[in-house]
Amino acid sequence: MAGIYLHIPFCKQACHYCDFHFSTSQRGREDLLDAMSMELKRRASEMQGHVVKTIYFGGGTPSLAFI
Ligand code: SF4
């Protein structure tokens, strides 16, 4: 059993209590998504024989990546 975590480090605002890695700038968003897509494709062979049970989108605010 395997799981995949995708960290989307963009937020509209900075919350003072937050310990996650994030940026309130959207600069580089497309490059990051392209890099994540590339890494998923490159590492797909590592998952052969495994069942991916969960794909977790964390952040940041993952929905900002798809606006
Ligand atoms: S990840 Fe959540 S809690 Fe942290 S700065 Fe972004 S919106 Fe705030």
Side-chain angles (χ1 to χ4, degrees):
M1 180 171 77
I4 296 174
Y5 174 71
L6 300 168
H7 188 84
I8 310 290
F10 304 109
C11 297
K12 280 187 176 174
Q13 64 182 36
C15 303
H16 70 276
Y17 52 81
C18 185
D19 287 331
F20 290 104
H21 169 74
F22 67 91
S23 171
T24 54
S25 168
Q26 296 289 306
R27 194 174 47 193
R29 184 180 71 172
E30 294 300 321
D31 289 341
L32 178 80
L33 294 175
D34 288 347
M36 291 174 75
S37 174
M38 207 179 321
E39 183 169 353
L40 285 169
K41 289 173 186 165
R42 284 185 179 163
R43 298 184 67 174
S45 63
E46 295 176 24
M47 299 307 294
Q48 285 185 346
H50 296 276
V51 175
V52 176
K53 288 280 192 177
T54 60
I55 300 176
Y56 184 82
F57 292 89
T61 308
S63 59
L64 286 180
F66 305 104
I67 294 176

